[in-house]
Amino acid sequence: PVLNAAGRAIVVAAGGHKATAVARSLETQALPGAAPAQLLRPAGGVTWMLDVDAAAQLHEGKWADPKAWQRNAVGGSKE
């Protein structure tokens, strides 16, 4: 509740050891809330800042379907 009361949340993850947690948080739809980051809902949204290694297990190509990935939006630099 405290984090959701913020105007905006920023999640920063770096390193390959975070890749599984990042993918589970952003791409697992079957168990919403299974990862704590899935519960973030501040009014201004959530921005994820990832390095290449932390984002390695994401499947960006699948995100074009808004029904499959309703809470995710892809944007920003891939560098």
Side-chain angles (χ1 to χ4, degrees):
V2 172
L3 294 175
N4 285 331
R8 177 177 241 357
I10 299 173
V11 178
V12 179
H17 61 286
K18 299 291 184 184
T20 299
V22 167
R24 183 174 295 144
S25 296
L26 293 174
E27 294 186 343
T28 300
Q29 303 291 323
L31 300 171
Q38 292 178 328
L39 301 175
L40 288 172
R41 296 283 190 273
V46 179
T47 298
W48 287 73
M49 299 179 75
L50 310 171
D51 70 0
V52 172
D53 293 331
Q57 293 182 24
L58 295 177
H59 300 95
E60 181 181 334
K62 295 180 179 180
W63 291 23
D65 179 359
K67 291 180 183 176
W69 311 107
Q70 296 175 13
R71 71 173 172 266
N72 303 331
V74 177
S77 172
K78 293 183 184 178
E79 296 180 33

